[in-house]
Amino acid sequence: MIRSRDIGHNSAPTGHCVQHGSARLRSLHFTLFAVCCMALFSACRHDASTGPSATPTTLRLAAGSGQTGTVGAVLATPLSVVVLDASGKTISGAEVEWDVGVGAGTVSPTTSISNSDGVAQTTWTLGTNAGNLRVSAQINGLTPVVFTATALASAATSVVATPDRAYLGVGDTIRLRAAARDQYGNDIVGQSINFSSADAAIASVSSNGLVTALAVGSARIIADVGGKADTVPVGVGLAGSSVCGPLTARTLALGEVITPDVDASGARACITAPAGLNAEYALTLISTAAAFSTVTPVDVYGFGNNAPSIAAITASVQAPSMDALALRVLDADVMSARQPASEVPRQFEADRRTMEHRELSQFVSDARAWQSARVSAARDMTSSLVLAADPKVGDAITLNGNANQACTQANSRVSRVAAVGVHSLVVADNENPTSGYTDAEYASIAATFDTLVYPLDTTAFGAPSNVSTTGRVILFFTKTVNALTPPNAGYTIGGFFFSRDLYPKTARSGFAACAGSNETEMFYLLTPDPTGIVNNNKHTKDEVTSLNLGTIAHEFQHLINAGRRLYVNTGAIPNEETWLDEGLSHIAEELLYYKMSGYTSRQNLTLAQVSAQSALFTTYASQNFSRFYQYLLSPELNSPYAPNDSLATRGATWNFLRFAAGRQGASGEAPFFRALVNSLTTGRANLSAVLGGTNAFADYLRDWTVSLIADDFSVAETAALDARYIYPAWNFRSIYPGLRFGGGNALGIYPINARSLVSGSPQRVNLAGGTSSYVRLSLPAGRSTLLSLASNGTALPTTMRFAIVRLR
């Protein structure tokens, strides 16, 4: 497989590759096949098309952007892209992934192959959200092409007024908001709403919806347009009556978390601030719908409250420039961070099979039967690998180094055994640049794997399979990895794991085979190149040694996961969904950081602590913080289980897995991770089952959202929080303000993106499966507010989880 550690979607055969900028190793999914440019378009005047082995350099929009349609409709013009190689020729047989933005609908197909003219296309069916929508086409490593469309609301089917009920004292006023909406809940612009009172002696209403309470009693305010109407009951009490009417007011203690009461028309809560104290609150919402494409609209309304008085965590946060990631201590308290070199803000649907999945799926049954026969019959227990049963330094070995095809076009690399460890075998390509590692240095690398990475990952995820029968994992240092990075690319592909190597190489006993397999557990790794022989990209030994260690920890989880699903847990679906597989590998990186720093996952690490060992944090922990930063900027657009491979998804998945592991207790963390790796199911079903079922998983998601805004808000507030909302590993509010992005000023805040709720001004939120929203508000001492939540004037679906927490 060729999955990524950091950016880029896997449009190549599934695998794992790692990239770094000038100062930091990062991961990049690279494409096996390039998308092509079509000769008949004026932008691509080329008289020849290359085949799928060519490397793409430019992806261009051909047709389909800028269309307008009604929500739910199929756009008339297919989306088309073309791609050029470095010589300006188009490429046929290229694989293009199509990524659909939140609420943007669907495309068919989600992966397309460029034709003989170099054109790849798909058909876009608009989603149910009106507005500006986007779909992007991407080949990994290239700038994606973004298509936009304008979705218009369909015909009005209802009128929805907000709030759904109101309570006033005589002389009080409230302004109702109302809109005509289509069947999906989209507001229809330009419709004039008529307001009237069915009980004018009790409450009057102006033409713009301002309701005035006149006498004690009950009134009905009607909002209508075009024969469709909504009625808002208004209860009027004596002057000075509570805005909550008959609802019981709750005075929350600091750190207390409650869930609003639910009825057929929505959810609501009456909250009163303590006497003599201005109070701050946050409402958290998260959709736990299984499908990322399922979008739930939520109307949030508050009456009697103020906007939050503390603006620090609601300040406008701008995404930094997307250059190479590096964190380093600049002074005692402030660290600098730069973002990845090429931004791919929303990656592709990661549960779609990449080319490798499609290519290898035909071999799964035969591979399992092959391995079972070898073990049960105790025959043919040597692999096709040309290697002595007892390998020794200096032994010759030939390995397929093709990173672009799974089972064909082998790139035979004549190599030598450079070091033999207990669990490792270090192999060096004979054509590697000179001035590389010595055999003594290779032996040190083998020892580090045996004593550090191997026990670390196997404890957390389980033992690897043993296809080679040697009990060793090959660490293959080869210039073919260096060659994957173009000159002056601004990133480096540092290594990968390719699951094709777990499959039989030679057809035998009726079993089909993958001829490109090396038939062993192995990684492909960057080799030192101090003088830049390969593509003029220089890599010193110290740099490569540091960078490869994190790569190996990350890729070893992928290897364990793939091998156990294929040969150990033989009833399992053979390939874990990308978001969960990558999240577990980011956990592996984090575990390496803990091991090397001497910290544990339950110390609530602060900026001062990570700064004390800044080099280790930079190398082994900073990437998770960078990815999670992308999530914090846009939680309403990103999900920990989104079917894509975006930076934000990776950050959210890592963060949620770490939170969930923290809930298991110190002794329960490794069993939690092992259960995920050794499951028969994949993705959300896997995670849900390990956490106790659908409802338990939904509760975890709700509690996670509370923790992200409430934990470490203040010492006193955290001390009062229930343990369910505590994040024991990291103090994000301490670390993030000290990070400096793109060489600019220190961030200064914890960058969670939250909305402000003002009395009488509803907030409308659209949440896809796994996305969340944070709504902040304040109350003057002794005052009350009535908060209400509804979905198009009706009850919220059971998949919507929400909570209110007092922060101050």
Side-chain angles (χ1 to χ4, degrees), residues 494-511:
F496 59 94
F497 157 68
F498 212 157
S499 68
R500 59 109 183 271
D501 294 318
L502 301 178
Y503 287 78
K505 176 181 178 68
T506 305
R508 68 193 89 175
S509 303
F511 301 132

Side-chain angles (χ1 to χ4, degrees), residues 68-69 132 170 331 348 352 442 510 513 515 535 597 671 683 697 702 776 797:
T68 298
N132 297 321
V170 172
D331 53 43
F348 305 92
R352 305 295 181 187
Y442 280 126
N535 290 342
S597 67
F697 178 47
R702 177 201 61 207
R776 297 184 59 227

Side-chain angles (χ1 to χ4, degrees), residues 579-580 582-591 594 621 623-629 640 648-660 673 704 727 729-730 732 736:
W579 63 265
L580 183 51
E582 292 297 342
L584 288 166
S585 281
H586 294 315
I587 288 290
E589 297 173 50
E590 182 188 40
L591 293 175
Y594 290 139
Q623 291 188 72
N624 282 330
F625 275 73
S626 175
R627 288 181 284 260
F628 187 55
Y629 174 77
T649 297
R650 285 168 175 254
T653 306
W654 159 72
N655 196 275
F656 179 75
L657 289 175
R658 172 47 60 198
F659 170 80
F673 297 132
W704 176 58
Y727 200 109
W730 302 95
F732 296 114
Y736 273 108

Side-chain angles (χ1 to χ4, degrees), residues 118-133:
V119 177
Q121 66 179 29
T122 191
T123 300
W124 186 358
T125 301
L126 296 177
T128 58
N129 286 355
N132 297 321
L133 308 179

Side-chain angles (χ1 to χ4, degrees), residues 3-145:
R3 297 192 187 91
S4 110
R5 277 204 329 138
D6 203 353
I7 73 168
H9 180 73
N10 178 19
S11 60
T14 306
H16 319 280
C17 62
V18 195
Q19 79 170 20
H20 65 83
S22 58
R24 175 69 179 100
L25 178 68
R26 294 187 296 106
S27 139
L28 175 70
H29 272 300
F30 53 93
T31 304
L32 297 188
F33 296 118
V35 180
C36 320
C37 180
M38 179 169 149
L40 60 85
F41 287 102
S42 61
C44 309
R45 292 186 290 269
H46 308 283
D47 57 3
S49 176
T50 63
S53 61
T55 301
T57 60
T58 305
L59 180 64
R60 292 182 181 172
L61 189 154
S65 189
Q67 299 181 73
T68 298
T70 304
V71 288
V74 178
L75 292 180
T77 303
L79 312 185
S80 301
V81 290
V82 292
V83 169
L84 300 174
D85 65 13
S87 65
K89 296 181 180 179
T90 61
I91 306 171
S92 63
E95 185 176 88
V96 179
E97 299 279 353
W98 301 91
D99 174 41
V100 183
V102 175
T106 60
V107 293
S108 180
T110 56
T111 301
S112 54
I113 306 298
S114 60
N115 60 22
S116 60
D117 292 319
V119 177
Q121 66 179 29
T122 191
T123 300
W124 186 358
T125 301
L126 296 177
T128 58
N129 286 355
N132 297 321
L133 308 179
R134 54 150 293 278
V135 166
S136 62
Q138 183 171 322
I139 290 177
N140 296 321
L142 301 184
T143 302
V145 170

Side-chain angles (χ1 to χ4, degrees), residues 726-752:
I726 297 294
Y727 200 109
W730 302 95
N731 187 326
F732 296 114
R733 289 182 183 275
S734 170
I735 295 173
Y736 273 108
L739 298 184
R740 198 188 300 273
F741 286 89
N745 295 326
L747 192 58
I749 61 171
Y750 172 52
I752 192 167

